[in-house]
Amino acid sequence: MLEIKNLHVKLEDEDKAILKGVDLTVEAGKVHAIMGPNGSGKSTLSYVLSGRDGYEVTDGSATLLGEDILDMEPEERAAAGMFLAFQYPVEIPGVGNMTFLRSAVNAQRKARGEEEMSSTEFLKVIREKAKDLQIDQDMLKRPVNVGFSGGEKKRNEILQMAMLEPKLCILDETDSGLDVDAMKLVSEGVNALRSPDRGFLVITHYQRLLDHIKPDVVHIMSDGKIVKTGGPELAMEVETHGYQDLKEGA
Ligand SMILES: Nc1ncnc2c1ncn2[C@@H]1O[C@H](COP(=O)(O)OP(=O)(O)OP(=O)(O)O)[C@@H](O)[C@H]1O
Ligand SMILES: [Mg+2]
């Protein structure tokens, strides 16, 4: 469903190449994990896919369900079914969490030519999903992410994901700063969303997260490229030996 071919990306303001020919295919129904050393370009890849400013694609392509996404505005990408959970979720002061989610859900429905969700229906659905993620009513009313703890922000992102029902979910280091219970909760939230028509790209440093979210495919990114692809055993290998052997293309 996601096809990235020979993607080259540089910083807009500087002549600095960050992605240097990424090739990656994520199939529907599969969970792909990307691991790799700090600064190898993992977050950059997710930013470029979501349409963040500041990056320039100099070569290559990326399509979602056959549509070229690199030419789309960020909101068009979202409407096309892409969701990105950030490494550092943003705070939106003054906008209630629930209001934000309802606008987001309805904006996407509208863009897809579907009917808006009524407020009663929305309330029912969000309450159910929030309960599964142990997010209380108070957190739903507070401004988006403002004053949320790291773990609460992450759980809130999974709630957004559950409400938006995207086709492709990209999670960037969802395990950073999560305590063991929160990691389990987040993983269960992700696992509950696994479905034959949905793909996942999970960026992580830790085998620990992958114990809970079992990946089908593991990729190693190093210096702006995918240097190795394998099964879950590749994550174990990283945990034991680090990236040194893999970096050298062994
Ligand atoms: N706006 C920017 N200005 C300067 N350098 C940048 C910018 N964005 C990315 N980079 C550089 O690009 C490289 C890749 O960064 P990126 O955040 O994608 O790495 P990462 O693989 O996600 O690392 P980590 O595992 O630490 O999260 C880094 O060297 C980073 O400093
Ligand atoms: Mg990163």
Side-chain angles (χ1 to χ4, degrees):
M1 61 175 4
L2 174 71
E3 268 206 53
I4 302 173
K5 286 191 188 138
N6 191 34
L7 188 64
H8 285 73
V9 170
K10 73 176 217 25
L11 291 177
E12 213 166 52
D13 304 333
E14 257 178 78
D15 226 6
K16 184 178 169 187
I18 300 186
L19 300 183
K20 304 170 182 173
V22 174
D23 286 297
L24 178 68
T25 304
V26 177
E27 302 89 4
K30 296 274 196 280
V31 175
H32 286 240
I34 299 189
M35 304 179 85
N38 294 131
S40 53
K42 306 181 297 297
S43 294
T44 303
L45 176 63
S46 64
Y47 295 153
V48 170
L49 291 175
S50 71
R52 179 184 284 213
D53 288 338
Y55 302 97
E56 191 184 319
V57 175
T58 52
D59 201 2
S61 63
T63 57
L64 179 64
L65 297 164
E67 281 187 276
D68 179 359
I69 48 172
L70 297 177
D71 280 338
M72 293 183 189
E73 295 299 322
E75 57 276 15
E76 293 174 317
R77 300 178 197 214
M82 188 146 66
F83 179 87
L84 174 66
F86 294 108
Q87 188 167 8
Y88 306 104
V90 286
E91 301 185 355
I92 316 180
V95 181
N97 211 7
M98 197 121 76
T99 315
F100 172 75
L101 265 175
R102 185 152 174 244
S103 325
V105 167
N106 282 332
Q108 292 200 7
R109 289 192 162 217
K110 217 169 145 194
R112 289 198 291 254
E114 297 164 12
E115 241 180 84
E116 291 196 356
M117 223 188 214
S118 74
S119 50
T120 352
E121 193 189 349
F122 179 80
L123 262 179
K124 187 171 158 265
V125 178
I126 198 170
R127 285 208 173 118
E128 244 165 56
K129 300 203 195 254
K131 199 168 155 224
D132 291 342
L133 288 161
Q134 295 178 18
I135 291 172
D136 63 29
Q137 293 300 309
D138 175 52
M139 233 168 93
L140 289 179
K141 288 187 199 134
R142 279 160 61 184
V144 182
N145 287 327
V146 176
F148 286 19
S149 78
E152 287 170 350
K153 283 184 185 169
K154 289 295 178 189
R155 275 188 281 149
N156 200 40
E157 286 205 303
I158 304 298
L159 176 67
Q160 293 173 5
M161 192 163 91
M163 290 303 298
L164 292 168
E165 304 188 316
K167 290 273 183 278
L168 175 75
C169 306
I170 305 174
L171 300 130
D172 194 358
E173 284 189 17
T174 293
D175 48 351
S176 48
L178 290 185
D179 66 35
V180 180
D181 292 341
M183 190 187 302
K184 248 180 115 179
L185 215 63
V186 164
S187 309
E188 279 164 12
V190 169
N191 287 333
L193 285 173
R194 286 178 87 145
S195 97
D197 61 355
R198 181 172 293 138
F200 286 87
L201 192 56
V202 180
I203 301 172
T204 183
H205 282 292
Y206 304 106
Q207 165 60 32
R208 214 164 46 136
L209 181 73
L210 302 179
D211 284 340
H212 296 295
I213 306 176
K214 296 230 166 5
D216 299 292
V217 185
V218 175
H219 308 274
I220 308 293
M221 187 164 206
S222 176
D223 193 21
K225 271 191 254 182
I226 303 289
V227 292
K228 195 162 183 176
T229 294
E233 74 287 348
L234 200 49
M236 307 290 245
E237 207 179 305
V238 167
E239 192 80 354
T240 333
H241 300 293
Y243 292 114
Q244 211 45 49
D245 303 347
L246 298 164
K247 270 196 215 174
E248 281 147 21

